[in-house]
């Protein structure tokens, strides 16, 4: 089953931009932002601020993938039950791809 790409407008660092992601990634972003008590705009702003290259949609996909991989392995939660800081996940993934 193919997930259609959904284009949404979002404000990042005070600027309106459009981001195209599959619905599964939008749902993942909503879940992460809710767990971290952030708005989607705030979370995307953090991802945008830590990416080293590539487009924003790709950085978001890498961030969501890394977040859920870490959560599946048990490392995305802190001892108090809150999500750990994964804001540099996309930058780390990008760095690993370039080495």
């Amino acid at each position: 089953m193919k997930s259609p790409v959904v284009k949404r407008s979002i404000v990042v660092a005070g600027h309106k931009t459009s981001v195209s992601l599959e619905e599964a990634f939008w749902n993942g972003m909503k879940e992460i932002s809710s767990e971290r008590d952030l708005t989607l705009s705030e979370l995307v702003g953090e991802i945008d601020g830590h990416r080293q290259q590539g487009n924003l949609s790709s950085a978001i996909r890498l961030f969501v993938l890394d977040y859920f991989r870490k959560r599946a392995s048990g490392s995305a939660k802190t001892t108090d039950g809150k999500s750990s800081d994964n804001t540099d996940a996309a930058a780390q993934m990008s760095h690993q791809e370039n080495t």
Side-chain angles (χ1 to χ4, degrees), residues 2 6 19 26-27 32 40-41 43 51 54 62 68 71 87-88 91 96 98:
K2 190 173 182 181
V6 179
V19 178
W26 284 116
N27 291 337
I32 295 166
L40 274 176
S41 292
L43 183 59
R51 69 182 166 119
L62 290 172
F68 284 105
R71 189 166 89 175
T87 56
D88 63 342
Q96 291 171 354
N98 293 325

Side-chain angles (χ1 to χ4, degrees), residues 60-99:
I60 291 171
R61 285 184 187 96
L62 290 172
F63 173 83
V64 171
L65 175 65
D66 187 61
Y67 180 88
F68 284 105
R69 279 184 174 168
K70 285 181 179 179
R71 189 166 89 175
S73 70
S75 63
K77 296 283 184 179
T78 61
T79 55
D80 63 359
K82 294 187 178 181
S83 299
S84 63
D85 184 10
N86 289 320
T87 56
D88 63 342
Q92 290 173 358
M93 295 283 288
S94 177
H95 175 72
Q96 291 171 354
E97 291 172 354
N98 293 325
T99 56

Side-chain angles (χ1 to χ4, degrees), residues 10-74:
I10 192 163
V11 177
V12 179
H15 301 283
K16 191 173 181 179
T17 189
S18 294
V19 178
S20 297
L21 295 170
E22 294 76 9
E23 191 64 37
F25 286 101
W26 284 116
N27 291 337
M29 290 289 292
K30 289 176 190 175
E31 185 176 335
I32 295 166
S33 65
S34 176
E35 288 177 5
R36 295 184 58 197
D37 198 28
L38 297 171
T39 66
L40 274 176
S41 292
E42 291 170 333
L43 183 59
V44 172
E46 287 183 15
I47 295 167
D48 187 44
H50 288 87
R51 69 182 166 119
Q52 296 180 355
Q53 62 187 26
N55 65 49
L56 182 56
S57 294
S58 294
I60 291 171
R61 285 184 187 96
L62 290 172
F63 173 83
V64 171
L65 175 65
D66 187 61
Y67 180 88
F68 284 105
R69 279 184 174 168
K70 285 181 179 179
R71 189 166 89 175
S73 70

